[in-house]
Amino acid sequence: LQKILILLHVTTCVVIGKTLMILFPNAMKRYILKQGEKSRMNENPKFSYENWGPTFFSFKYLLFVLKVKWKRLEDEAHEGHPAPNTPVVTFNGEVRHLFDFMQDNRPLILNFGSCT
């Protein structure tokens, strides 16, 4: 049921977005560039709007967003329920799962951070 709701939501957003891109191309370009500012995508000199802007609200975009949102359904954690066995990438680039790092009865501690 959740996948169907996500499919309906994402499809509706893509149809509306595509329609707005056709009817109001300049306004949508400003909107998409504003989104690029939030993700700092526009700071990369190799990217220009002409390279990635038109891909918004395309069929490939729809499939990508669905894939990400459906994958996130598996990664949801709820209080009182078992933790999800989320895939993680090691420093070597190897894809493993969280439970691969558990040892006996020792607690598994996750430390999240970022560096720029």
Side-chain angles (χ1 to χ4, degrees):
L1 181 62
Q2 285 180 319
K3 284 188 175 184
I4 292 172
L5 291 175
I6 289 171
L7 172 67
L8 291 174
H9 178 259
V10 172
T11 302
T12 302
C13 290
V14 168
V15 168
I16 291 170
K18 191 63 159 180
T19 304
L20 291 174
M21 282 184 81
I22 292 168
L23 297 176
F24 308 104
N26 292 331
M28 287 304 287
K29 180 178 180 177
R30 285 192 305 272
Y31 172 77
I32 292 170
L33 288 172
K34 189 86 167 164
Q35 297 304 313
E37 287 175 13
K38 289 181 182 178
S39 66
R40 298 181 10 189
M41 183 187 293
N42 62 346
E43 292 179 12
N44 186 336
K46 295 182 180 181
F47 284 108
S48 67
Y49 174 80
E50 288 70 27
N51 290 342
W52 53 268
T55 64
F56 274 65
F57 309 116
S58 66
F59 186 69
K60 282 186 178 181
Y61 174 88
L62 170 73
L63 294 179
F64 175 77
V65 173
L66 284 175
K67 179 181 172 184
V68 169
K69 288 189 174 276
W70 286 346
K71 183 67 179 153
R72 285 186 181 164
L73 284 175
E74 300 168 9
D75 294 340
E76 288 184 5
H78 300 283
E79 188 175 342
H81 292 87
N85 193 14
T86 305
V88 293
V89 180
T90 66
F91 288 116
N92 303 346
E94 179 184 356
V95 178
R96 305 269 304 271
H97 287 83
L98 277 182
F99 296 169
D100 296 341
F101 298 97
M102 294 185 70
Q103 298 176 4
D104 300 324
N105 257 351
R106 295 176 58 186
L108 177 65
I109 298 172
L110 303 176
N111 184 13
F112 296 94
S114 64
C115 55
T116 54

